[in-house]
Amino acid sequence: SSLSGLAAAAVDAAAAAKPRQLAFSVLSVGCGDGELDVELISALSAVLEAGVPPGAPRPKLHYVGVEPNGDDAAACRAKMEEARKAGELSSETVAYVLEETFEVRPPKQSTPQTEQLEPAQLELLAELDEKLPTHNSSKLQKGRDGAQSSPFRSKSTFDLVVVANVLPYFRDTQAALQRLVGYTKSGGNLLIINSTGKATLQLQTEHMRFVKGSESQICTHDDIKKQLAQQRLQFQLSTLESRLNCTECLARTPTGLQVLSHCLESDVRRLCERKMMRLLKTCWELAIIEEDGSAFWEEATSVYVVEKPSSKK
């Protein structure tokens, strides 16, 4: 599956940055509902423990996910817990998902009062401080409104920093890249995953403007290469080919409309019939119809592995 391919690419990046010490840390920015990340850290656990002699200390895996959407953050925590109960995560894996933003917002004219933390969040931060003592928990406070949450801040750096399909959502991509690199350890890797081709991109290019009113969140391969070049960052690039089942989209079912809404970052159910027909026409033109009646879109995902040079002593 495409998820397996993405997880494998992340594991390869992690293996290249595997430290000699018995700990490996991962920061996932915009971890979403955890569908990719659970598979990723499960595979990473296996890689880190491979070859460990019997009786030797087992390497620890520290994972921190940052997700501003409360529903997705909760779903990610639930998936992590399910994976742990199913034995897919080793006992040496410590995973936390923080409902925080990553992008630093411009300061307001007046400093707002800090909201009191809820008991569950206090407990989470206490555990985080215990497991990752270099974390600056005082900066992880947030208000009741997720949109007003403080940005993620940490004194820690990470062996692997993952940003999957969220780069286009930053208002200042260059500043975000600087922060991402800043949180990557010397000799570690920044892994950028972005859907950059074929059906989804064509749908966005042709329809996002009249569906959403903006094309600001379209990010092409050339866009990312340019941004990395501006930061003077060297990277290795691989492309994963996949197919997205679009049968429900063509049938205009509630699930299909949800998929289209996700692709176009807007609720397509609100479209007038003329615009909906125009959108569905493109969907049909891009689809590959199998003999059993199922339909697929061809997709491509670019994986950029950015290695942060080791510090000179």
Side-chain angles (χ1 to χ4, degrees):
S1 66
S2 59
L3 279 179
S4 297
L6 294 177
V11 169
D12 289 341
K18 183 177 179 180
R20 295 181 180 178
Q21 63 268 27
L22 292 175
F24 192 89
S25 55
V26 179
L27 171 65
S28 179
V29 176
C31 60
D33 64 4
E35 186 175 8
L36 170 64
D37 287 30
V38 169
E39 191 168 348
L40 165 62
I41 63 175
S42 177
L44 276 176
S45 297
V47 169
L48 294 173
E49 294 190 7
V52 176
R58 300 172 66 189
K60 296 182 181 296
L61 174 61
H62 290 162
Y63 166 90
V64 177
V66 179
E67 172 55 50
N69 183 288
D71 291 339
D72 283 345
C76 186
R77 294 189 194 105
K79 283 186 172 68
M80 295 289 178
E81 185 60 27
E82 290 174 5
R84 189 180 300 281
K85 291 179 179 178
E88 298 173 5
L89 303 183
S90 74
S91 59
E92 301 300 325
T93 298
V94 180
Y96 298 98
V97 180
L98 305 178
E99 188 181 333
E100 300 290 336
T101 61
F102 184 78
E103 192 169 28
V104 177
R105 298 174 182 269
K108 296 182 179 180
Q109 293 181 351
S110 59
T111 303
Q113 288 185 338
T114 302
E115 298 280 354
Q116 285 189 338
L117 295 177
E118 298 176 357
Q121 191 177 19
L122 285 171
E123 181 180 353
L124 170 65
L125 295 179
E127 292 177 355
L128 186 60
D129 283 339
E130 180 182 352
K131 300 296 183 182
L132 296 174
T134 55
H135 243 77
N136 184 0
S137 62
S138 65
K139 297 298 184 180
L140 296 178
Q141 300 176 5
K142 72 177 188 66
R144 295 185 180 88
D145 181 359
Q148 300 298 320
S149 59
S150 298
F152 169 79
R153 298 185 189 277
S154 173
K155 293 180 181 179
S156 300
T157 52
F158 299 80
D159 295 292
L160 179 66
V161 177
V162 180
V163 54
N165 293 317
V166 297
L167 203 60
Y169 298 98
F170 294 121
R171 290 177 296 176
D172 188 339
T173 306
Q174 290 299 318
L177 273 174
Q178 289 177 352
R179 294 197 76 211
L180 290 165
V181 173
Y183 281 120
T184 307
K185 283 184 180 179
S186 297
N189 283 329
L190 164 62
L191 186 73
I192 301 173
I193 298 171
N194 198 65
S195 298
T196 54
K198 302 195 177 179
T200 300
L201 181 60
Q202 188 166 338
L203 280 173
Q204 292 175 339
T205 302
E206 293 186 15
H207 298 280
M208 185 172 278
R209 180 172 294 278
F210 78 75
V211 170
K212 188 179 180 182
S214 170
E215 296 179 353
S216 60
Q217 290 176 346
I218 297 177
C219 191
T220 66
H221 171 60
D222 289 338
D223 292 334
I224 294 179
K225 285 201 304 183
K226 180 179 178 180
Q227 291 158 0
L228 293 174
Q230 290 175 349
Q231 297 282 341
R232 297 182 179 180
L233 296 172
Q234 301 295 319
F235 63 91
Q236 295 180 350
L237 172 65
S238 59
T239 301
L240 300 176
E241 301 290 340
S242 61
R243 299 208 304 173
L244 175 64
N245 191 316
C246 63
T247 308
E248 299 284 345
C249 299
L250 301 186
R252 200 173 172 176
T253 67
T255 299
L257 294 178
Q258 185 177 9
V259 172
L260 287 173
S261 297
H262 177 77
C263 291
L264 297 173
E265 298 296 335
S266 184
D267 189 350
V268 300
R269 295 174 301 177
R270 300 177 180 178
L271 292 177
C272 67
E273 191 64 16
R274 180 179 62 83
K275 290 183 177 180
M276 176 61 75
M277 289 296 101
R278 181 177 167 186
L279 173 60
L280 289 175
K281 180 176 181 291
T282 302
C283 292
W284 277 95
E285 291 172 348
L286 294 172
I288 298 174
I289 311 298
E290 302 287 359
E291 291 183 0
D292 62 0
S294 59
F296 296 88
W297 289 326
E298 290 186 341
E299 290 295 329
T301 300
S302 296
V303 180
Y304 307 79
V305 180
V306 182
E307 181 177 355
K308 186 174 181 178
S310 300
S311 300
K312 296 182 180 180
K313 296 184 179 179

